[in-house]
Amino acid sequence: MTDVESLDPAATTSPADVEATPTKHAGLALVLILTAQLMVVLDSTIANIALPYIGNDLDISQANLTWIVTGYALAFGGLLLLGGRLGDLYGRRRLFTIGLVTFAVASLLGGVAANEAMLLGSRALQGVGAAMAAPAALALITTTFPAGPARNRAMAAYATMSGVGAAIGLILGGWLTGLDSFAGLDVEGWRLTFLINVPIGLIAAAAVPRILAESESHPGQMDIPGAITGTLGLLGIVFGLSRAGEEAYGWDHAQTITSLVAGVVLLVAFAIIESRVEHPLLPVRIFANRTRATSFVAMMIAPAAMFAMFYFLSLFIQQIMGFSPLEAGFAFLPFSFGIVIGAGLASNLVARVDARFLAGTGTLLAAAALFMFSRIPVDESPKAVLTALADGGADINYWTHLFPFIVLMAIGMGLVFVPMTLTAVHHVRAEDSGIGSGVLNTMQQVGGALGLATLSTVALHFTNGQASEVAKPMAEAITATGGDPTAVVPGTDLSFLEAAIFGSSFPEGAVHAFLVASMLMLAASAVIWTFLNVKHTELATDAPEGVHVG
């Protein structure tokens, strides 16, 4: 083991900080950490299947529904760096516990939300709790398990949970959304997708002091200006991209332009602040390591495509194919098995095969899957759409057009998550592991928020264009069959004309979103193949770099 103090004379790190040693509670600690990771990742997708029902109950527009997903990801990603630094300064176990309690309280507020503002506010607060818990969780793994097989297995389990949690969120969300009562109480099923987190979060928080040891605190100052400018800058960019895709606004609208310009200015200010303050929220030097920088960039682009896939495919399966919430949830069950297979392969191979080959191959598989989603055959003609409305869904074969590519996507992402997680936090000093893992999680969540905002803009552009073209012929087709275009479709708030237009236009937007998502995944693959050159033998060592990060 390399002597840190010989590399950095100013270092005050104790030997315990340099080399992680498993405790007698290491197994229980990993279970607790994975439970928390499952909870925060699960909430990135659990509401996806419930979106149509939430929209109907709380009168939320189609454009604003994306904020139920994006709002959580943005608060989560925007505050992760702050959460990582707080853990480094004041103790990771403490922040982990506070984060779990905050998440549980926010979930309770979401479950009883009476309007759109209350629901979106609760989602943002969930993101705040997740931003405190997630970086502490990953940092606790790096300081509990030593480099080598033990850490590889723990990281593989953590990375697997990142993907499995997203799929489980869809399955659990589908089951809960389909319920109309629970424990003898009448309750809308979508509310249960939030309320289920309350007991899990509180029980996990109560177990933390008994299982996890507190990390050493490292004195320093909080970079409040950096936290404010960084978070608001990201919010401005995402909000501007979302507005650009809405028919009522567009790219040339003053609100869109102002939001995007303000976001860019704030992010530039953030970069300037980080380069000058003594204790930056995002140390610029953390990107000086080529391996870490490559991993961060790749883990920003790849999840952007993956989470957008969950969003659009969950809506497509329900609103175009006519699946029930539970059926839609189980449609994603193969993703859980696929990512376990991919992560298991990566975990076994990462000690013998360079991360570049594993993650590079994984991104190519995922890109191929996304491209095939863009080729789903949908007949958008008036006759076919009206037939689908009458039959309860379009005639699309799940086993032929979705199942193989859901599995392919999952295996690919399993091959990506494990090596990218290891390379992103490798060689970060123990006292900085909170901020290092915070950057990794930030890239994933911010990438997801930006990806969904961007792809939603693409989808809305093509959806609106198709809607304009089919509105008149669709109304004529309904009238020709003896129907009333203004009559309400049973069980919905839509007229037959509105439902028919949606059935013809949404697939047009979705397939273009999948196509752009496949391009994003290819971009992530290009970054990995070109710049990730760390050898597998290096991942078996735990020596920190000589340069103090932070």
Side-chain angles (χ1 to χ4, degrees), residues 11-13 17 85 88 92 218 429-435 548:
T12 57
T13 309
D17 275 333
R85 179 53 82 192
D88 289 339
R92 293 170 196 133
H218 302 279
R429 289 175 52 140
E431 66 197 63
D432 296 309
S433 57
I435 191 62
H548 182 285

Side-chain angles (χ1 to χ4, degrees), residues 465-520:
Q466 177 75 357
S468 299
E469 291 182 13
V470 302
K472 184 177 179 181
M474 199 68 74
E476 293 173 347
I478 295 173
T479 303
T481 59
D484 180 4
T486 63
V488 176
V489 178
T492 74
D493 294 329
L494 299 176
S495 68
F496 275 96
L497 179 58
E498 291 171 331
I501 291 174
F502 181 84
S504 177
S505 60
F506 178 79
E508 186 73 14
V511 297
H512 281 87
F514 289 134
L515 183 59
V516 175
S518 70
M519 295 177 184
L520 285 176

Side-chain angles (χ1 to χ4, degrees), residues 3 27 67 108 115 130 148 161 249 263 304 367 412 429 444 449 463 517 540 549:
D3 184 352
W67 281 98
L108 176 61
N115 52 53
M161 197 61 72
Y249 295 90
R429 289 175 52 140
Q444 288 181 260
T463 296
V549 181

Side-chain angles (χ1 to χ4, degrees), residues 208-269:
V208 168
R210 296 174 175 82
I211 296 176
L212 296 176
E214 181 59 284
S215 62
E216 290 189 5
S217 59
H218 302 279
Q221 297 177 351
M222 285 305 304
D223 177 20
I224 300 300
I228 294 173
T229 54
T231 303
L232 292 181
L234 291 171
L235 178 61
I237 295 293
V238 173
F239 185 78
L241 288 173
S242 299
R243 279 291 186 256
E246 294 181 33
E247 189 175 15
Y249 295 90
W251 287 100
D252 58 350
H253 193 275
Q255 196 173 108
T256 303
I257 296 172
T258 300
S259 180
L260 290 173
V261 171
V264 171
V265 170
L266 285 167
L267 289 180
V268 170

Side-chain angles (χ1 to χ4, degrees), residues 131-154:
M132 289 188 280
L138 185 54
L140 286 166
I141 287 181
T142 63
T143 55
T144 301
F145 298 90
R151 184 179 294 175
N152 288 351
R153 287 192 296 269

